[in-house]
Amino acid sequence: MKNPWLLRFPRRPDAKVRLVCLPGAGSAASMYYPWSTAFPSEVEVCAVQLPGRGGRLKEEPYRRMEPLADALAEVVRDECDRPLVLFGHSLGALIAYEVADRLRDHPGGPAALMVAAHKAPHLGSARVSVHDLSDHDLLAFIGQLGGTSPAVLDRPEIRALALPSLRADFELDYTYAHRERPPLAIPVSAYGGTADPIVSEAEVAAWEPLTTGAFTHEQMPGDHFFLTAPEGAATLSRIRGTLLELVSHARPEPGAIPGAQLSREDRVSHVRG
């Protein structure tokens, strides 16, 4: 039976690496469809379709992290038959981190974590309870982020479909409470937008202590939605390079994740786009 959580763009049974992508607040899995032509046949792109959007529009969206991450980790657990990389944009970055944490001891668990446009989890939850704003103020906030044409959300039928999942996602982000735990032992790449109005460069760089593996921090041209902006091609090129590097290496023995034992100087890379 088709798994409602994962859409494959396209299914590639012979792929050497599986990239599981999580969208940001209010976004559907379809935001990653253009990536289907951005990567070679060795990479299978899987996008997570969360309840409350896309083909799951009639399902109740999650408003708390713990049950969502638990449910998604069970889905991803069955996808670890080849090296698997988790990628998350904005709220999706936070979810991807929680899923990676839950699968840290699973044989063949995530080989790497890639996050974009979200501050490090231990810096706390969102500063503003956006989910409690009026429709007018919520739409104004979304407009400030960029990435969504105001004309789209001016249409009543679109607002009626989009706002419930948006509110649920912003509530999930606002109520998130990070718990102390050992760092991950896999490579982590963190990307930020140079003109992001809500996530600073320092907040993106703060993902570093969450792993003992190789860490890369890159600031890319664009705002909060730099992935989907015309300049996003540069970010895709960076991600493609990381994935092809994984493809070129066979899966290591358990406990021998590449980059896990590097010195701080060797494992940390900072690049500005």
Side-chain angles (χ1 to χ4, degrees), residues 89 116-118 144-145 190-205 217-227 229 231-232 234-235 238 270-273:
H89 172 259
H118 201 286
Q144 292 171 5
L145 295 180
Y191 303 93
T194 54
D196 191 327
I198 61 171
V199 184
S200 71
E201 180 176 355
E203 289 173 328
V204 178
H217 166 219
E218 301 191 48
Q219 289 296 112
M220 310 303 295
D223 57 19
H224 192 70
F225 293 95
F226 62 90
L227 279 180
E231 302 89 347
T235 309
R238 297 280 203 279
H270 298 276
V271 180
R272 291 188 62 85

Side-chain angles (χ1 to χ4, degrees), residues 2-87:
K2 183 179 178 182
N3 187 330
W5 287 88
L6 292 180
L7 302 182
R8 301 174 198 270
F9 300 140
R11 182 178 292 276
R12 289 175 172 167
D14 297 325
K16 296 180 180 179
V17 171
R18 178 170 289 129
L19 178 65
V20 176
C21 305
L22 287 115
S27 297
S30 57
M31 73 169 282
Y32 291 108
Y33 180 74
W35 289 25
S36 60
T37 58
F39 301 109
S41 59
E42 292 93 340
V43 179
E44 182 182 66
V45 177
C46 298
V48 173
Q49 189 76 287
L50 296 173
R53 63 222 65 192
R56 308 181 71 184
L57 193 61
K58 294 183 179 179
E59 297 182 42
E60 186 68 21
Y62 284 88
R63 290 178 169 79
R64 294 294 184 273
M65 179 62 76
E66 294 298 316
L68 170 56
D70 288 345
L72 186 53
E74 287 304 308
V75 173
V76 175
R77 193 183 303 274
D78 295 331
E79 302 294 328
C80 295
D81 58 324
R82 66 203 68 195
L84 181 143
V85 177
L86 290 169
F87 179 91

Side-chain angles (χ1 to χ4, degrees), residues 256-273:
I257 301 297
Q261 304 301 323
L262 300 179
S263 68
R264 184 184 186 280
E265 291 74 15
D266 290 334
R267 73 184 185 87
V268 179
S269 166
H270 298 276
V271 180
R272 291 188 62 85

Side-chain angles (χ1 to χ4, degrees), residues 45-230:
V45 177
C46 298
V48 173
Q49 189 76 287
L50 296 173
R53 63 222 65 192
R56 308 181 71 184
L57 193 61
K58 294 183 179 179
E59 297 182 42
E60 186 68 21
Y62 284 88
R63 290 178 169 79
R64 294 294 184 273
M65 179 62 76
E66 294 298 316
L68 170 56
D70 288 345
L72 186 53
E74 287 304 308
V75 173
V76 175
R77 193 183 303 274
D78 295 331
E79 302 294 328
C80 295
D81 58 324
R82 66 203 68 195
L84 181 143
V85 177
L86 290 169
F87 179 91
H89 172 259
S90 193
L91 174 63
L94 199 59
I95 301 171
Y97 166 73
E98 286 292 333
V99 171
D101 176 64
R102 282 160 172 75
L103 297 179
R104 67 166 69 225
D105 296 324
H106 178 64
L113 172 65
M114 309 177 88
V115 296
H118 201 286
K119 63 182 179 178
H122 59 283
L123 296 184
S125 62
R127 301 180 183 91
V128 180
S129 54
V130 178
H131 60 285
D132 286 332
L133 296 176
S134 66
D135 285 359
H136 177 272
D137 291 341
L138 178 57
L139 293 173
F141 176 81
I142 295 168
Q144 292 171 5
L145 295 180
T148 303
S149 169
V152 172
L153 292 177
D154 280 345
R155 297 167 57 184
E157 68 276 15
I158 299 296
R159 288 202 306 272
L161 293 174
L163 288 185
S165 60
L166 270 169
R167 289 189 183 279
D169 283 351
F170 284 130
E171 182 176 348
L172 190 153
D173 200 5
Y174 183 74
T175 58
Y176 174 77
H178 180 260
R179 56 180 174 79
E180 292 298 322
R181 66 198 86 176
L184 300 171
I186 57 176
V188 172
S189 298
Y191 303 93
T194 54
D196 191 327
I198 61 171
V199 184
S200 71
E201 180 176 355
E203 289 173 328
V204 178
W207 283 86
E208 179 195 341
L210 298 184
T211 181
T212 59
F215 176 75
T216 300
H217 166 219
E218 301 191 48
Q219 289 296 112
M220 310 303 295
D223 57 19
H224 192 70
F225 293 95
F226 62 90
L227 279 180
T228 55

